[in-house]
């Protein structure tokens, strides 16, 4: 919010200077619109006259892929109408990041900003803007709205004149009936499904009513859980799973969409699929995603906005309509591990616009992905400097994922980018020198791995973009106040462990457990944070934690021996640089004393001695890191990119390690694990 106000203040000062310049040149007084000087300079049209300049505000309620796609489509739609940024158009983007207090402040800024038009994407942004603009001070075009007639903004029908003069746009009702029908097709015995909604959202109420109607026709019992905010979503999803639902239907609710990973977490634990009203959810693990091509929806909204600005579209002649350019996404990988025999028929696979196969390979059919992607600057080899605090299995997995993603993204090593990797070997002074070396060499992007190297970068504030990875809590490391409000030039991929998921696994394996032990490093913020979070998660489940502090690798074997000698039921080693690199010593003690050993790093279960790992997929984290770097290389401002978590979590079970540690593995866990290995290699 402060950033928007700072921009507005800066714009006021620029306009004062512009006013003076024009007055001196033409000798006439005028009231100038607030604008950036560079974007307000008039270019000449073919006839030699000054081309009219337009100012457009684009307001989205949160950072979500479908909304980002829609915004890009809006900008491209304006361009198709002849309104091009930097020539005759200035676009200012506003994002409330899901906060309604921020949203209300944003709309006031827009109303006071002397814009020619505001374009909103999503129902909440439509409602917030329209309610503040009831007097019609500003022309308003909306898109990505489920049910405009029920949104309470004065739209009464689908005929010309049945909407306010200043307000027009299009609806995009999610294909609720089609998704419900498809669920029955994929699993004919489906009897009970569940959905989560925020009852305060008109769009979710509209989707719920249609889902209930269609489920009733098909004999499916639809259970509903209500939430007021995102903090209650995981509990709501878990409660539905406990009530025996066989599938989740999600979509049309902005509260749920912004924290949809909580639904996925509950679904994975219950081994039931998610069927979504948005195609992009298959990337996170949904079985089916059917919905609009939101780039095309946004483009239609942009073309409409351009028509309004240029006079081509007359509001009195315009009828609100529904637009649904359908896109079907299917995920064959999501079939693995489901309790019920869901099946995707070959003929349906052939219809998919997006398909993820059993190995996780993604195919986008019908040409390129909808969002226009800028090319890399021609002839430039990007210098990427990656600095790690220490070497560990996590770092190795991350690097493998990074290299794999670069290849799949079409980035050519030595041509498109040059990667310089440095490892501080656990020494903070060395890490600081490596950050300095990256700055001195004028690297294009600095990529930090682990919390200590991010902290070093935060202190030094390098002039180049900083993209962090392998950091559980970037806010604790000083990189920002929230995922969206952070230091200029900083963004990245966080790796906060799935503490609650681990507690579920421990309870599943050791139902009578009372005490769980771990080592931590009091001088490492990340280690302390992970220990405290795990302790809190255990306490919620009625378990206590026993801890031992170590500061050096040489202290780990004795500390692990002392910990295992306590009256504990298992060791659950929290993540941290010291104990990740010293994990073999911990595993050796656990094996000698036959103490079940749980870990948060997949490699520690695969070959490191742990029986089970509830792990962020660190190879996927490396892939996410590479994709993030590509976005910056293509011109995105890292300051505007919110922090994001690794997009996948795994359960890894090693039956040989479990036997060595005296841990009996429940069949239920073996069935839902992502990977079960029966040896050390």
């Amino acid at each position: 919010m402060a950033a928007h106000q700072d921009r507005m203040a800066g714009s006021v000062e620029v306009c004062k200077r512009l006013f003076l310049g024009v007055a001196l040149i033409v000798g006439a007084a005028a009231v100038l619109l607030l604008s950036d000087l560079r974007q307000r300079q008039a270019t000449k049209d073919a006839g030699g006259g000054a081309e009219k300049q337009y100012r457009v505000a684009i307001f989205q309620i949160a950072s979500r892929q479908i909304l980002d796609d829609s915004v890009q489509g809006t900008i491209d739609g304006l361009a198709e109408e002849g309104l091009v940024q930097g020539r005759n158009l200035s676009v200012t983007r506003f994002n409330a990041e899901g906060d309604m207090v921020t949203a209300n402040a944003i709309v006031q800024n827009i109303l006071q900003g002397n814009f020619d038009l505001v374009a909103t994407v999503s129902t909440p942004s439509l409602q917030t803007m329209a309610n503040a603009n009831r007097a019609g001070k500003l022309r308003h075009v909306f898109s990505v709205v489920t049910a405009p007639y029920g949104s309470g903004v004065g739209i009464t029908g689908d005929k010309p004149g049945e909407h306010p003069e200043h307000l027009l746009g299009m609806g995009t009702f999610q294909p609720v009936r089609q998704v419900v029908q498809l669920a029955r097709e994929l699993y004919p015995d489906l009897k009970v499904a569940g959905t989560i909604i925020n009852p305060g959202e008109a769009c979710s109420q509209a989707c719920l009513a249609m889902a209930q109607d269609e489920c009733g026709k098909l004999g499916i019992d639809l259970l509903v859980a209500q939430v007021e905010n995102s903090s209650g979503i995981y509990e709501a999803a878990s409660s539905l799973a406990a009530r025996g639902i066989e599938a989740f239907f999600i979509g049309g609710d902005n509260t749920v969409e912004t924290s949809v990973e909580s639904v996925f977490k509950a679904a994975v634990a219950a081994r039931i699929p998610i069927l979504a009203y948005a195609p992009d959810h298959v990337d996170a693990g949904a079985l089916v995603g059917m919905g609009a091509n939101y780039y095309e929806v946004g483009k239609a909204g942009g073309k409409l906005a351009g028509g309004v600005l240029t006079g081509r579209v007359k509001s009195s002649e315009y009828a609100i309509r529904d637009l649904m350019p359908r896109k079907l996404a299917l995920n064959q990988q999501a079939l693995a591990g489901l309790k019920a025999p869901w099946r995707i028929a070959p003929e349906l696979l052939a219809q998919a616009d997006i398909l993820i196969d059993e190995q996780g390979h993604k195919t986008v059919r019908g040409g390129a992905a909808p969002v226009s992607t800028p090319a890399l600057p021609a002839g430039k080899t990007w210098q990427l400097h990656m600095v790690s605090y220490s070497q560990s299995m996590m770092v190795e997995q991350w690097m493998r994922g990074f290299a794999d993603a670069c290849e799949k993204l079409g980035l050519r090593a030595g041509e498109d980018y040059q990667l310089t990797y440095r490892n501080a070997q656990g020494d903070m002074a060395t890490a600081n020198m490596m950050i300095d070396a990256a700055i001195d060499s004028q690297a294009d992007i600095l990529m930090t791995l682990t919390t200590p190297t991010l902290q070093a970068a935060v202190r030094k504030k390098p002039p180049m973009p900083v993209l962090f990875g392998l950091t559980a809590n970037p806010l604790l490391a000083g990189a920002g106040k929230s995922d969206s409000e952070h230091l200029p030039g900083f963004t990245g991929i966080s790796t906060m462990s799935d503490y609650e998921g681990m507690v579920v696994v421990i309870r599943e394996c050791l139902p009578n457990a009372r005490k769980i032990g771990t080592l931590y490093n009091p001088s490492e913020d990340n280690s302390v944070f992970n220990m405290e979070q795990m302790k809190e998660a255990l306490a919620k489940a009625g378990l206590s934690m026993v801890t031992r502090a170590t500061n050096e690798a040489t202290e780990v074997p004795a500390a692990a021996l002392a910990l295992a000698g306590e009256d504990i039921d298992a060791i659950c080693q929290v993540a941290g640089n010291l104990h990740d690199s010293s994990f073999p010593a911990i595993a050796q003690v656990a094996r000698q004393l036959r103490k079940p050993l749980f870990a948060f790093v997949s490699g520690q279960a695969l070959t490191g001695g742990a029986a089970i790992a509830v792990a962020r997929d660190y190879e996927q984290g490396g892939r996410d890191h590479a994709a993030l770097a590509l976005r910056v290389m293509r011109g995105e401002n890292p300051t505007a990119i919110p922090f994001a978590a690794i997009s996948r979590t795994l359960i890894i079970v090693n039956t040989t390690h479990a036997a060595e540690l005296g841990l009996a593995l429940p069949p239920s866990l073996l069935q839902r694990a992502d990977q079960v290995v029966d040896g050390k290699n």
Side-chain angles (χ1 to χ4, degrees):
M1 190 58 250
H4 293 308
Q5 293 171 340
D6 289 343
R7 276 201 302 273
M8 294 302 299
S11 297
V12 170
E13 185 61 30
V14 169
C15 287
K16 288 179 180 178
R17 294 196 298 269
L18 181 59
F19 179 86
L20 179 58
V22 174
L24 291 173
I25 294 171
V26 303
V31 178
L32 300 178
L33 298 176
L34 297 171
S35 175
D36 179 85
L37 178 58
R38 182 184 61 186
Q39 292 178 322
R40 294 289 290 171
Q41 290 177 329
T43 58
K44 300 293 182 178
D45 60 17
E51 188 172 10
K52 180 175 174 56
Q53 303 294 296
Y54 294 97
R55 298 188 71 235
V56 171
I58 300 181
F59 173 32
Q60 65 186 97
I61 197 64
S63 294
R64 289 170 47 202
Q65 189 63 53
I66 63 172
L67 301 185
D68 293 342
D69 290 352
S70 302
V71 169
Q72 184 60 54
T74 301
I75 294 170
D76 291 350
L78 284 162
E80 288 194 7
E81 289 293 307
L83 304 180
V84 180
Q85 287 194 84
R87 192 187 78 195
N88 57 359
L89 176 68
S90 169
V91 172
T92 303
R93 294 176 61 171
F94 297 87
N95 189 333
E97 295 297 356
D99 184 80
M100 292 310 298
V101 174
T102 301
N104 281 294
I106 284 174
V107 299
Q108 294 304 319
N109 277 345
I110 292 174
L111 287 172
Q112 296 166 18
N114 286 335
F115 290 100
D116 296 297
L117 180 144
V118 58
T120 60
V121 292
S122 81
T123 300
S125 57
L126 159 66
Q127 292 173 313
T128 310
M129 189 73 239
N131 287 330
N133 188 39
R134 287 190 179 276
K137 178 181 177 180
L138 182 62
R139 286 176 290 182
H140 179 179
V141 170
F142 63 85
S143 64
V144 195
V145 173
T146 298
Y149 312 124
S151 57
V153 295
I155 300 172
T156 58
D158 58 359
K159 297 181 176 60
E162 295 184 336
H163 57 85
E165 181 74 15
H166 64 280
L167 178 66
L168 56 164
M170 58 205 66
T172 307
F173 207 105
Q174 281 85 354
V176 177
R177 293 189 188 279
Q178 294 93 321
V179 170
V180 174
Q181 292 165 3
L182 189 55
R184 174 52 64 80
E185 179 181 337
L186 300 183
Y187 179 42
D189 292 331
L190 177 64
K191 295 293 189 297
V192 186
T195 192
I196 305 169
I197 69 161
N198 179 347
E201 291 191 24
C203 47
S204 60
Q205 291 282 13
C207 286
L208 174 62
M210 185 169 289
Q212 289 174 323
D213 181 69
E214 191 62 29
C215 283
K217 292 178 180 177
L218 297 176
I220 300 171
D221 187 12
L222 182 62
L223 306 183
V224 182
Q226 297 186 359
V227 295
E228 295 182 356
N229 52 56
S230 59
S231 64
I233 291 175
Y234 178 70
E235 182 179 352
S238 298
S239 69
L240 286 172
R243 293 168 65 187
I245 67 169
E246 299 164 297
F248 278 105
F249 295 138
I250 62 170
D253 188 296
N254 288 279
T255 301
V256 176
E257 293 277 6
T258 53
S259 295
V260 74
E261 65 276 1
S262 297
V263 185
F264 280 94
K265 182 177 175 181
V268 168
R271 298 170 55 221
I272 57 179
I274 288 178
L275 296 94
Y277 310 147
D280 60 295
H281 285 318
V282 295
D283 292 324
L287 176 62
V288 171
M290 183 189 290
N293 182 327
Y294 283 99
Y295 170 78
E296 294 297 336
V297 172
K299 182 184 279 190
K303 289 173 66 67
L304 176 59
V308 171
L309 288 171
T310 60
R312 179 181 61 80
V313 175
K314 306 297 182 185
S315 178
S316 60
E317 300 173 358
Y318 183 83
I320 304 294
R321 60 194 178 94
D322 195 69
L323 177 67
M324 172 52 72
R326 198 201 77 162
K327 182 190 288 187
L328 172 64
L330 298 173
N331 185 354
Q332 289 180 285
Q333 197 173 42
L335 292 169
L338 296 180
K339 288 190 295 187
W342 292 74
R343 178 180 176 273
I344 304 176
E347 55 270 25
L348 184 62
L349 290 172
Q351 299 174 27
D353 301 287
I354 298 172
L355 178 63
I356 298 176
D357 65 19
E358 294 93 335
Q359 289 74 42
H361 300 137
K362 182 177 179 179
T363 302
V364 180
R365 295 168 175 162
V371 177
S372 57
T373 305
L376 293 176
K380 178 178 175 64
T381 300
W382 286 75
Q383 298 300 316
L384 310 182
H385 283 232
M386 186 177 287
V387 179
S388 173
Y389 179 67
S390 62
Q391 196 66 21
S392 66
M393 288 183 181
M394 287 191 298
V395 171
E396 292 169 2
Q397 291 168 9
W398 195 278
M399 294 295 292
R400 282 200 300 271
F402 184 87
D404 175 66
C406 284
E407 182 179 351
K408 290 181 178 177
L409 291 168
L411 291 174
R412 297 161 298 178
E415 296 184 40
D416 296 316
Y417 74 96
Q418 183 72 46
L419 179 64
T420 300
Y421 174 73
R422 294 186 173 99
N423 177 8
Q425 299 296 338
D427 183 75
M428 201 62 226
T430 302
N432 279 292
M433 287 191 294
M434 289 177 173
I435 299 290
D436 287 334
I439 296 173
D440 293 341
S441 66
Q442 298 182 336
D444 294 303
I445 297 177
L446 171 61
M447 308 183 78
T448 65
L449 296 185
T450 69
T451 298
T453 52
L454 172 58
Q455 290 172 319
V458 167
R459 288 192 296 270
K460 294 178 181 295
K461 295 182 173 57
M464 70 283 291
V466 177
L467 311 184
F468 63 79
L470 277 176
T471 301
N473 192 332
L475 309 183
L476 190 67
K481 297 180 180 178
S482 70
D483 287 346
S484 58
E485 186 180 354
H486 46 75
L487 293 179
F490 282 70
T491 191
I493 306 297
S494 70
T495 58
M496 187 177 294
S497 299
D498 186 357
Y499 315 103
E500 293 161 345
M502 176 62 84
V503 172
V504 170
V505 168
I506 292 174
R507 274 294 192 202
E508 194 170 358
C509 294
L510 302 169
N512 298 317
R514 295 178 298 109
K515 294 181 181 180
I516 306 298
T518 196
L519 303 180
Y520 76 101
N521 182 355
S523 61
E524 185 183 331
D525 290 342
N526 196 42
S527 178
V528 173
F529 174 79
N530 283 326
M531 180 272 290
E532 291 175 343
Q533 294 298 308
M534 188 61 198
K535 185 176 182 179
E536 182 179 331
L538 287 167
K540 289 179 180 178
L543 297 167
S544 61
M545 173 176 275
V546 179
T547 64
R548 286 289 180 273
T550 58
N551 292 284
E552 302 290 343
T554 55
E555 301 173 0
V556 171
L561 190 62
L563 181 68
E566 294 273 2
D567 183 24
I568 60 173
D569 299 287
I571 298 174
C572 177
Q573 184 53 54
V574 297
N577 292 293
L578 173 61
H579 298 106
D580 289 335
S581 58
S582 302
F583 195 84
I586 301 170
Q588 182 177 356
V589 169
R591 191 162 49 247
Q592 288 172 350
L593 300 183
R594 291 179 64 80
K595 288 289 183 182
L597 178 60
F598 300 83
F600 285 99
V601 180
S602 59
Q604 292 170 355
L606 291 171
T607 60
I612 299 167
V614 177
R616 296 299 188 188
D617 186 343
Y618 291 106
E619 285 197 24
Q620 182 60 44
R623 297 185 192 101
D624 295 341
H625 212 187
L628 183 61
L630 181 58
R631 292 174 64 182
V632 174
M633 292 161 69
R634 283 173 169 162
E636 284 195 60
N637 183 355
T639 308
I641 302 176
F643 299 164
I646 290 178
S647 56
R648 192 179 182 205
T649 300
L650 305 171
I651 297 177
I652 312 294
V653 177
N654 189 311
T655 56
T656 298
H657 292 164
E660 292 172 346
L661 297 165
L663 178 65
L665 296 169
S668 59
L669 180 65
L670 293 171
Q671 289 174 358
R672 70 185 182 92
D674 294 277
Q675 188 174 357
V676 177
V677 294
D678 58 3
K680 296 182 180 180
N681 297 299

